[in-house]
Amino acid sequence: LAFIPGMPIMTLMVSVGRLPLRRRLHFMAFFVLGSLLIWSHLNLRSGILKNRVNHDATVKPSSAFVGRTKKTIFISNLSNSDDVVGTSFFDCHHESSKCRYFYPREFFHHYFRSIQHLDSKNNGDINHTQYDEESFMQWRKDIGLEIANLPALYSLSWWWDTVYNSDHVKIDKLTIRENSTGLSNDTTKHQQIHRQILSEIGIPRNITYIHIHKCGGTSVQGALWIRSRRIRNYELQIQAERNMDINQKNLLHHFSLQMRSDVHSYKHSYGGGSAEKKEQWDKKRWSHIQAIANQQSSSSDLILTTSNFPIFTIVRDPFERFFSAIQQVMHYNTDFRDKCLHDAPRLTWWKSSRKIKEEEALARLKTIECAIDEMENNHFRGDVHLLPMSSHFRLLDEDTFNSGDDYGGEEGAKHLAVSVFSMKNIGDILFHISGSVKGNNKETSIIHARDRSNEEYATSSILAKLSMSDCTEEMLEKLCELYHVDVALMKWLGYRGKAVQRCSL
């Protein structure tokens, strides 16, 4: 009878009824508790599955990750204008651009001579103007221009590698490979097609980003990868008039371009590696910089080459960058954190809100003061997040080009131009690079940005609220001295900010 439905439960109840009262109470307690646990588990699982279904049903992937986009381009009435859509963004002489051209070689030599003149004046030797090579090399070392880890470069490039006509016949003469400078058959029609494709893609064929830490670098990297995926989703259908003599062997009427794109990183180290590997990575990084320099020096039109093969970066107010930097460094450097981070005061019922605010302000002051002392005594702790922004322009000035023998290179361009944007324009930069659309929440959500003013992300209420108002005059003077070269850089570029206003040069 035990196998008849319901009989096992009845048998169990009869057996429990024969137990002493105390045992029966224990059994009933365990039974109720077990039933509650099973009920809560089933409801929790049901809720999770329900949420998953709703998420899948309502959230659609961004157009950056949707399937391949096919677009037809009609080649008939093409403009010969050099102002291709997407390239003017990096042309700092363009009326709509928000960047400034920066020539590292020119700035570093001017800055060093001004420092040398100031030192001579302080020493009473006003007439001393001789260029001291030994002092110059020591100065480069002091500001971080000799640190092998810098700079970190990220380069987005796009090309197409297959071309088919209406009969699906491959045409090699229109094939563009990576690192090529244009169409192999350099005719007017080919140039027009190339220009039209540039307008459709909306971004130069190769752009290189110099990652200055704590200046939106993580967000820019993410935007580069997003744009690369978008480009790979493109399949362009080219339709041309039959009387266009694009290829003598094939009078094209219709052909397809399969777009390709990738983002390459050029670093000294990728979190490890042997000395041989690092040397190889250094050579690749140097070769890439040299290639950009050669592109700029090979044309008399610097504006055209810098907009077609731009190298760009973002700078930030030195004070704001410093506060953000110590937040991040203390996030992963436990030694620095244990030594300098002063904990927030404990909340107790007898303390007034005013007293708590005073203790929090004192904790922030002590934290910043300790961080400044550590940087002074340990050369910015050797951390790329704390080093001056100017150190990230290593390998981009004349002296490095002239000493190219270390990397097997030849003397390069004396005036390598970098398009420099302000951190205040980070939103416009990310939207342009990623190809996202402003006002579209789905598009905006794919751009990643770290907000260290968020207490949960900063992992400390003290770190989340660090600001210039927490510093004494003496601390601000020390910061001006530590980041003197960055203040000079911002002033050289014409960017204003708290540090430029506060520090006297």
Side-chain angles (χ1 to χ4, degrees), residues 137-201:
M137 296 307 296
Q138 182 60 44
W139 170 80
R140 288 175 60 88
K141 184 177 181 181
D142 290 342
I143 68 171
L145 283 173
E146 300 299 325
I147 294 180
N149 278 336
L150 298 175
L153 306 177
Y154 297 87
S155 176
L156 180 148
S157 58
W158 59 266
W159 66 99
W160 64 86
D161 58 4
T162 55
V163 180
Y164 298 95
N165 63 8
S166 56
D167 298 325
H168 213 66
V169 178
K170 186 173 181 180
I171 303 172
D172 292 329
K173 285 197 173 184
L174 281 176
T175 301
I176 291 184
R177 301 292 182 183
E178 186 182 2
N179 296 327
S180 66
T181 58
L183 293 167
S184 56
N185 188 4
D186 191 16
T187 65
T188 302
K189 300 303 182 184
H190 284 150
Q191 291 176 352
Q192 290 177 339
I193 293 174
H194 192 188
R195 188 180 297 111
Q196 186 74 6
I197 294 170
L198 277 171
S199 297
E200 292 297 331
I201 300 299

Side-chain angles (χ1 to χ4, degrees), residues 52-82:
R52 286 179 179 173
V53 172
N54 289 338
H55 175 78
D56 293 338
T58 58
V59 179
K60 297 180 180 180
S62 167
S63 59
F65 311 106
V66 174
R68 194 166 302 284
T69 301
K70 292 187 178 182
K71 190 168 184 178
T72 301
I73 301 177
F74 294 93
I75 310 297
S76 57
N77 298 319
L78 291 175
S79 172
N80 291 322
S81 173
D82 290 331

Side-chain angles (χ1 to χ4, degrees), residues 379-390:
H379 192 245
F380 302 96
R381 293 187 64 88
D383 195 298
V384 292
H385 299 89
L386 297 172
L387 283 165
M389 293 183 293
S390 302

Side-chain angles (χ1 to χ4, degrees), residues 462-481:
I462 298 300
L463 292 177
K465 299 177 182 179
L466 298 179
S467 69
M468 183 178 170
S469 60
D470 296 317
C471 300
T472 64
E473 286 297 316
E474 182 182 359
M475 292 163 61
L476 291 176
E477 286 294 333
K478 289 184 178 180
L479 284 177
C480 288
E481 184 177 350

Side-chain angles (χ1 to χ4, degrees), residues 272-301:
S274 63
E276 293 181 359
K277 280 288 185 181
K278 291 180 179 179
E279 185 178 357
Q280 293 176 6
W281 296 332
D282 286 345
K283 287 181 178 180
K284 289 181 179 180
R285 179 177 59 181
W286 169 253
S287 297
H288 185 73
I289 295 173
Q290 192 72 28
I292 297 174
N294 291 336
Q295 284 290 339
Q296 292 190 8
S297 62
S298 62
S299 173
S300 58
D301 190 349

